[in-house]
Amino acid sequence: MAQHFERAVVTGGAGFVGSHLCARLLEDGTEVLCADNLATGVLDNIRHLLSHERFRFRQADVTTALTVKGGVDAVFHLACPASPRDYLRLPIETLRVGSRGTEHALDLADRKGARFLLASTSEVYGDPREHPQRETYWGHVNPVGPRSVYDEAKRYAEALTSAYRTTRGTDTTIARIFNTYGPRMRSTDGRMIPTFIHQALAGEPITVTGDGEQTRSVCFVDDTVAGLLALAHGDHPGPVNLGNPHERTVGELAREIRRLTGSSSEIRYLPAPVDDPKRRCPDISLARAELGWRPRVSLADGLNRTIGWFATEATSGEPLRKVAE
Ligand code: NAD
């Protein structure tokens, strides 16, 4: 069980979660190679890391190849469009990075004898019939619906990861990440929290899809990254749910963001998208027992940190509006 990684490869490291993970690994003394094709990530996410002596960025598409010279003791495979707006815009690319991209990342870990972590998703549970979702639940997924390009890519990636473990002995693990939010999300990526914050700060209507009674559980990115690292440093094969078990309605989240931003935006209800899950909440008993992990950041704290970032950084220097203290 490695307590410290000498050298890690992070695919998708210029994305939202990946950029936070790269920063944490550098803080831990690890040398980090970030491989990203910037399909949905941006250089701005890692600009502050580029001058770090232990950080390397390689603009590369992991579906074509992933070769690295020298030793590697951890491969974190995060590369994949993750917001519905992105994967609906990039359906074939999403399937390809889940299949070929995962295979290349697994091959790299296998060749190097590295620990491999797949960033999977709560979407493998689809629109769940079991609640809250435990890792033993097999899911309720529409294989030909619009979201299938993401859900099935991740389900395939989980199957491939399991096959490498059982047939080749690759040291793999699978994290099933639930909704994560925080600084560096893009306000245009269509995900709920950045959309609500952007709308509230801009004084635009906050658009809730459906009746707002559908539930989500949202986890601050620092907590998710801590969970990914705990899982990578252990020897559990996964899958392990990482998320915040506190379930809230989407309407409640919209109202909380409006309150914390001091906004007077109206809340406007729009039709729900196809196959939108009604309830989503992780059972994190396994992560608690095996990793001693649970989310630590409160919703108000996490939202305030995210709102603060959106108010100052997200608009390239031009503040949208002063945030209520
Ligand atoms: P993101 O879109 O911000 O990051 C994904 C990164 O992968 C981007 O930088 C993108 O450019 C890169 N990428 C995509 N295709 C690539 C390819 N072929 N080659 C190289 N790089 C490629 O998304 P995120 O929210 O940071 O998600 C990161 C990972 O975590 C994803 O695998 C996602 O499925 C998983 N996840 C995230 C959440 C969440 O709430 N953020 C929830 C569940 C799972």
Side-chain angles (χ1 to χ4, degrees), residues 87 118-129 133-142 147-148 150-159 174-178 239-241 277 280:
Y87 61 68
L118 172 69
S120 185
T121 171
S122 56
E123 292 281 338
V124 298
Y125 301 122
D127 188 2
R129 295 296 181 258
Q133 292 84 54
R134 279 174 301 176
E135 291 82 352
T136 45
Y137 179 53
W138 290 354
H140 181 249
V141 175
N142 176 355
R147 301 172 84 105
S148 63
Y150 183 65
D151 303 3
E152 298 294 12
K154 290 292 185 181
R155 287 168 71 96
Y156 175 85
E158 288 201 9
I174 298 169
R176 288 193 182 144
I177 305 172
F178 282 65
V240 175
N241 288 340
R280 190 52 81 58

Side-chain angles (χ1 to χ4, degrees), residues 9-22 32-42 45-46 55 57-63 66 75-82 97 101 105 117 119 154 184 191 228:
V9 172
V10 180
T11 75
F16 157 54
V17 179
S19 60
H20 288 274
L21 175 64
C22 288
V32 177
L33 172 67
C34 163
D36 199 302
N37 67 350
L38 303 180
T40 58
V42 289
N45 284 346
I46 51 166
F55 184 74
F57 172 66
R58 184 191 291 176
Q59 186 164 348
D61 182 342
V62 299
T63 67
L66 185 58
V75 176
F76 293 86
H77 182 43
L78 275 68
C80 182
V97 77
L117 181 142
K154 290 292 185 181
R184 302 198 201 116
R191 288 190 269 195
L228 293 175

